[in-house]
Amino acid sequence: MRKEYVMGNSAIALGALAAGVNLVSGYPGTPSSEIIETVGKYNNGSVHLEWSVNEKAAMEVAAGAAYAGARAMVTMKQVGLNVASDPLMSLAYVGVKGGMVIVSADDPGPISSQTEQDTRMFAEFARIPVFDPSSPEEAYIMIQDAFEYSEKYHTPVLFRPTTRVCHAYASIECEENPQPKRYEGFVKDSKKWVIFPKLSFMNHEMIEKRNPQIGNDFSKYKFNTVTGSGKKAVFASGISYAYVKEYLKDRQDVMLCRIATPYPFPEKLVLPVLEKAEEVLCVEELSPYVETHLQRIAGVHKLPVKVFGKSTGHGKLSGENSADYAAKIVGEFLGDKPSEDQIELSDMPQLPIRPPVLCAGCPHRASFYAVKKAMAGRKAYFCGDIGCYTLGNAMPLDMTDTCLCMGAGITMAQGLYHTDHDAVSFAFVGDSTFFASGMTGVVNAVYNEADMILCVLDNSTTAMTGHQPHPGTGRNMMGDIIEKVDIIKILEGIGVKKIEVVDPFELDKAVAVVKECAEIKGVKAIIFKSPCIAITKPSGKMNISEKCIGCKKCIKEIGCPAITFRDGKAEIDKSLCTGCGLCSSVCPVNAIGGDCNE
Amino acid sequence: MNKDILLCGVGGQGTVLASKLIASAAMLGGERVHSAETIGMAQRGGSVTSHVRIGEAYSPLIPFGSADMIMAFEPAEAVRNLCYLKKDGIVIVNSVPVKPVTESLHDTGYDGTEMISYLRKKCSNVIVVSAEEICEEFGSSKFFNVAILGVAVGSGKTGLSAENVMVEIESKIPERFRELNKKAFIKGMEIGEGYEAK
Ligand code: SF4
Ligand code: SF4
């Protein structure tokens, strides 16, 4: 055993390796991305590891391996599970041979996501077990248990950490030299592996009979625990358990019940608690999941216990919990005196708000600015997508009119076009998102004769989630150099007639290209090609000379965070500036010069 | 030893490296450590925090009113996170503000001074340092994260040994930046030690 200080995501990766995982696939998404990166760091080539093109592909790759008896793990963020839900729902009926664990990281807050959906509900919807770790230490062990249960019951299982578990660091004792599992290989059996209505009917019944048994099994599971005694009980799940524990410490005058496997619900473990307690409080994030089950069990058994939680106003309806929030609601529930450790802060001055912004020197800023300039005075719709470039919505660029989900910008731009032929419809999509779910949208546009301009913001990486490679980068997670999948050839193949490639920092040229495309009918594509500045060496530094007349045009037009205003003049922060030169093409008196990268 | 240290600042200021150094130096000293970082969208110029908990802890996030120390890389971020500080806790704060782009667009006059006076009014232990001054000789404020760590260790309030932090700087920082980081740490230490002597 060796000790490692790692983040929750790495603990999950190391746990999977300790479980002898044979194949790991996934698609990047905060807060899940570091799981695959960690597997990559420790992989000696014996595990097949991949960033799949999207979550659906990742799920299916993993399912194939699990059919062959291998242990497979697939990772994604919670909204990725929506993309992968088609294979998942069917897979739940078919089942697996080798252990298959689907990690779907939830993001209460939401901190970096579009939704506050709850993977525990998804597990119940799909009728498969789900594990909910409350710390990195627990995640390391629990993911190994997840593989065991998956194999024991021949079912894929979900594993859902939340952001605060994924991004918390702790020391774990981990296996020195884990060996991948030996497996038999795929054995043909079309009665088993080919889904037909008859098979679904039979397996559905089997699953509904099996799940209560898993619930009983889970009632004995080591991470489902009941401690303490008394007439009151607190139920907590996931990270909220850690918050409650932080408040209660080793207090024994209240029952504390940890639900580590929300589905199938460990009813046998919980029933005696509900029989003993007069009042229970549920502390959980996202949906009132445990709460609903407690209400159900209390109802079925006609117990007089009162269940408090989100539905009774004793829990937030949205957003994440915290150590303080848990302390507050548990303290109130138990009738404790509130602590007075805090500094009184009611007279706090107004604080600046800090919405996230595109980095100084980000090529997306230049691309958006070029389109904005080209379309000045014209009616145009700007459909955005998921990635760093969603930040193109911020003032002063204000270049994102819609953002829904991965790839939606391309298809929504078509919907807008079909309702308004006078406006120019734009869709902005990053290179990774284009591969993940943009391509089919382009086919749709060509086939259904939409007029639109597709702007591929190609920065040669998956920037927002931490710079993962993708099919267009020529590298994969096995460390191999492969031929790049070429976006231009894809577009040509689909039948896009007008395709332009331009460096967004050549502003005049970029503006001219956009204007030209706006005059042409049909689907046009402009590939704005320039690498993400966070993974390239900055090429220079710009500075603002005495000539600055303080007009603030550079600030008001492009909003680069490296430019500030002091004593009536604009100023460039040298430690942030990358020398991209965009500001100098905006300044009306040519006051900005220096070491530009052109 | 139980110590809760909260680091806060603006995405891109290097809080993560400083918190990693604290965590690993504490572990080198035989302590159990838990920590938590802001990862994701906020890293692009939003407010970020790192919670480092040395000793026994269940929650990775520090509860309000429990932090022994706040290391703030930006004045308004210190105020934003003051709820975490113990009544007798210490704040080490950079006086140089980071103005959000929205601020440059509509000037409200934010320059950090109001924040510093508020901190002084609310807590008895405040060390104000200027990243610009400290880092002038290093040619970039990129070294401020290690310098402020030096101030914290020098103040004697972290319970960390300077030798252990040095060992971690040695092993965690790429060679081409190592010497300047060591210098920045030592410079910070001197400032922190000066405070303790007062
Ligand atoms: S990480 Fe790259 S793509 Fe994202 S905002 Fe920064 S420069 Fe732009
Ligand atoms: S050159 Fe101008 S726009 Fe580009 S990073 Fe520097 S200050 Fe920002």
Side-chain angles (χ1 to χ4, degrees):
Chain A
M1 290 297 225
R2 68 168 196 273
K3 236 193 163 126
E4 292 256 9
Y5 186 66
V6 292
M7 79 160 75
N9 280 339
S10 304
I12 294 169
L14 290 168
L17 289 170
V21 73
N22 302 102
L23 178 144
V24 182
S25 55
Y27 187 76
T30 312
S32 71
S33 312
E34 297 83 4
I35 304 173
I36 287 205
E37 287 171 346
T38 306
V39 176
K41 199 168 126 198
Y42 290 90
N43 189 10
N44 57 11
S46 55
V47 176
H48 173 81
L49 179 65
E50 67 172 57
W51 282 125
S52 307
V53 71
N54 60 28
E55 293 87 352
K56 172 173 149 66
M59 181 80 74
E60 292 153 352
V61 168
Y67 280 15
R71 284 195 162 181
M73 175 167 76
V74 48
T75 76
M76 61 200 65
K77 68 183 295 176
Q78 88 287 41
V79 287
L81 192 59
N82 302 339
V83 177
S85 64
D86 192 6
L88 175 64
M89 295 307 289
S90 302
L91 187 64
Y93 285 86
V94 176
V96 291
K97 184 160 131 194
M100 174 163 169
V101 181
I102 302 145
V103 181
S104 166
D106 282 348
D107 185 25
I111 301 172
S112 299
S113 303
Q114 305 95 293
T115 71
E116 279 202 300
Q117 64 190 73
D118 192 326
T119 294
R120 298 175 302 171
M121 306 279 274
F122 222 122
E124 181 155 354
F125 180 48
R127 321 304 286 162
I128 59 172
V130 59
F131 291 78
D132 189 5
S134 72
S135 68
E137 294 96 324
E138 214 170 271
Y140 175 76
I141 301 167
M142 208 183 262
I143 189 104
Q144 302 180 50
D145 299 336
F147 278 104
E148 293 298 328
Y149 278 96
S150 171
E151 272 169 19
K152 182 171 173 190
Y153 291 101
H154 309 289
T155 176
V157 303
L158 272 160
F159 187 88
R160 81 103 194 205
T162 52
T163 306
R164 297 298 178 186
V165 173
C166 293
H167 293 165
Y169 281 73
S171 292
I172 55 168
E173 299 265 347
C174 58
E175 203 75 41
E176 204 73 71
N177 249 321
Q179 294 302 318
K181 185 195 152 189
R182 292 178 167 279
Y183 54 89
E184 187 185 15
F186 184 61
V187 180
K188 293 188 188 200
D189 181 352
S190 65
K191 281 198 204 61
K192 193 169 175 178
W193 302 126
V194 180
I195 193 163
F196 264 116
K198 186 164 170 241
L199 176 122
S200 301
F201 171 78
M202 281 172 6
N203 285 2
H204 187 191
E205 185 167 324
M206 177 277 289
I207 288 165
E208 296 304 336
K209 285 184 176 153
R210 172 202 74 191
N211 282 355
Q213 288 168 17
I214 300 183
N216 290 344
D217 205 349
F218 278 166
S219 289
K220 290 174 266 162
Y221 180 51
K222 60 179 178 280
F223 288 118
N224 287 323
T225 53
V226 179
T227 52
S229 60
K231 292 276 166 233
K232 291 190 173 186
V234 178
F235 280 77
S237 148
I239 189 72
S240 295
Y241 172 76
Y243 298 150
V244 172
K245 189 80 181 146
E246 178 79 32
Y247 178 74
L248 291 178
K249 302 255 160 48
D250 289 323
R251 239 169 104 168
Q252 295 297 319
D253 60 334
V254 48
M255 288 187 276
L256 173 59
C257 195
R258 164 171 52 177
I259 303 296
T261 57
Y263 186 81
F265 202 75
E267 201 161 321
K268 273 205 171 143
L269 176 79
V270 165
L271 187 59
V273 179
L274 292 183
E275 284 167 345
K276 268 181 263 165
E278 287 167 2
E279 293 182 339
V280 304
L281 173 73
C282 301
V283 188
E284 57 189 324
E285 294 171 313
L286 306 173
S287 301
Y289 185 84
V290 172
E291 186 180 330
T292 311
H293 273 279
L294 296 185
Q295 287 165 342
R296 177 182 59 78
I297 297 167
V300 169
H301 295 271
K302 303 201 171 47
L303 301 173
V305 60
K306 286 200 189 103
V307 178
F308 297 114
K310 289 173 191 273
S311 64
T312 56
H314 298 84
K316 299 180 184 181
L317 297 180
S318 67
E320 63 168 337
N321 287 341
S322 62
D324 318 287
Y325 185 71
K328 180 179 166 288
I329 56 172
V330 174
E332 280 169 10
F333 174 65
L334 299 177
D336 298 345
K337 218 167 91 237
S339 103
E340 283 167 3
D341 295 342
Q342 275 180 56
I343 301 172
E344 210 280 311
L345 294 170
S346 55
D347 55 346
M348 194 187 268
Q350 204 186 346
L351 300 174
I353 23 171
R354 294 189 196 283
V357 288
L358 294 170
C359 298
C362 175
H364 298 334
R365 177 175 290 105
S367 305
F368 283 126
Y369 187 63
V371 176
K372 187 172 185 174
K373 263 193 102 168
M375 287 299 109
R378 272 192 83 163
K379 193 172 176 197
Y381 299 127
F382 306 115
C383 296
D385 222 298
I386 308 287
C388 279
Y389 51 97
T390 315
L391 300 175
N393 78 319
M395 287 301 186
L397 284 173
D398 188 20
M399 283 293 289
T400 305
D401 295 331
T402 69
C403 177
L404 188 66
C405 66
M406 291 282 289
I410 297 176
T411 17
M412 292 189 73
Q414 298 164 35
L416 287 174
Y417 162 74
H418 294 305
T419 61
D420 182 356
H421 288 196
D422 297 333
V424 189
S425 284
F426 284 86
F428 294 91
V429 69
D431 35 350
S432 186
T433 308
F434 176 81
F435 289 113
S437 50
M439 297 186 289
T440 46
V442 183
V443 176
N444 194 65
V446 170
Y447 173 55
N448 291 304
E449 300 177 288
D451 270 10
M452 66 173 290
I453 301 180
L454 169 70
C455 298
V456 183
L457 306 176
D458 183 358
N459 62 359
S460 306
T461 188
T462 318
M464 178 53 94
T465 48
H467 303 100
Q468 292 79 14
H470 62 63
T473 61
R475 285 173 296 123
N476 64 24
M477 284 309 280
M478 295 305 285
D480 297 332
I481 304 295
I482 47 119
E483 198 176 321
K484 294 181 185 175
V485 180
D486 188 341
I487 298 179
I488 299 175
K489 283 193 191 146
I490 294 175
L491 292 171
E492 281 171 357
I494 292 174
V496 177
K497 294 282 174 333
K498 174 83 177 166
I499 304 168
E500 293 284 343
V501 183
V502 56
D503 178 346
F505 289 116
E506 290 182 29
L507 188 63
D508 293 338
K509 200 170 149 197
V511 172
V513 167
V514 177
K515 281 188 173 153
E516 185 197 343
C517 286
E519 299 310 324
I520 304 170
K521 287 236 143 269
V523 182
K524 292 81 57 178
I526 306 171
I527 297 165
F528 290 96
K529 208 168 168 53
S530 184
C532 166
I533 201 68
I535 49 164
T536 39
K537 263 217 184 125
S539 50
K541 301 260 174 257
M542 304 295 275
N543 47 59
I544 302 184
S545 76
E546 280 305 298
K547 281 198 280 178
C548 172
I549 51 169
C551 70
K552 281 198 173 179
K553 196 163 177 219
C554 55
I555 294 171
K556 286 187 181 142
E557 294 272 301
I558 60 172
C560 171
I563 311 180
T564 54
F565 202 72
R566 199 185 326 199
D567 305 329
K569 284 188 192 294
E571 217 174 59
I572 289 178
D573 180 342
K574 290 244 153 26
S575 63
L576 290 177
C577 174
T578 66
C580 78
L582 183 64
C583 53
S584 66
S585 39
V586 173
C587 178
V589 294
N590 287 323
I592 311 181
D595 228 352
C596 180
N597 67 352
E598 303 296 342
Chain B
M1 177 177 88
N2 271 329
K3 288 272 179 209
D4 285 343
I5 303 174
L6 185 108
L7 298 90
C8 57
V10 175
Q13 282 191 311
T15 49
V16 175
L17 176 67
S19 78
K20 286 222 165 100
L21 290 171
I22 296 175
S24 49
M27 280 189 290
L28 200 61
E31 298 288 347
R32 258 174 78 93
V33 182
H34 288 88
S35 59
E37 311 281 0
T38 310
I39 298 171
M41 221 174 211
Q43 284 176 296
R44 316 262 179 281
S47 301
V48 294
T49 56
S50 292
H51 296 235
V52 184
R53 312 199 68 189
I54 303 170
E56 271 314 312
Y58 293 102
S59 154
L61 300 182
I62 301 171
F64 287 174
S66 306
D68 299 278
M69 175 185 280
I70 290 183
M71 290 166 62
F73 290 53
E74 208 277 342
E77 296 312 309
V79 175
R80 201 187 303 279
N81 290 289
L82 206 51
C83 48
Y84 288 102
L85 195 69
K86 266 190 188 150
K87 277 193 170 149
D88 58 349
I90 177 170
V91 180
I92 302 174
V93 58
N94 174 19
S95 59
V96 183
V98 177
K99 293 187 189 182
V101 174
T102 42
E103 177 63 32
S104 309
L105 284 172
H106 318 279
D107 207 350
T108 61
Y110 169 63
D111 64 359
T113 48
E114 192 189 352
M115 302 297 157
I116 301 287
S117 28
Y118 186 74
L119 291 170
R120 287 219 160 99
K121 184 172 117 194
K122 289 288 163 178
C123 356
S124 40
N125 299 315
V126 183
I127 308 182
V128 181
V129 291
S130 154
E132 269 169 16
E133 276 168 33
I134 297 190
C135 294
E136 202 180 357
E137 65 181 276
F138 309 121
S140 163
S141 47
K142 296 238 143 84
F143 299 98
F144 180 69
N145 54 1
V146 176
I148 191 174
L149 175 57
V151 180
V153 173
S155 76
K157 306 269 183 184
T158 57
L160 295 175
S161 99
E163 292 74 49
N164 286 351
V165 179
M166 269 299 192
V167 171
E168 293 304 321
I169 292 180
E170 203 63 67
S171 73
K172 292 221 158 37
I173 291 177
E175 209 187 318
R176 54 197 176 106
F177 302 119
R178 204 174 290 155
E179 278 315 305
L180 278 176
N181 271 297
K182 280 192 195 164
K183 281 198 183 132
F185 179 70
I186 291 168
K187 186 154 181 199
M189 283 271 293
E190 285 162 4
I191 297 172
E193 281 163 2
Y195 171 81
E196 198 198 17
K198 256 183 239 165

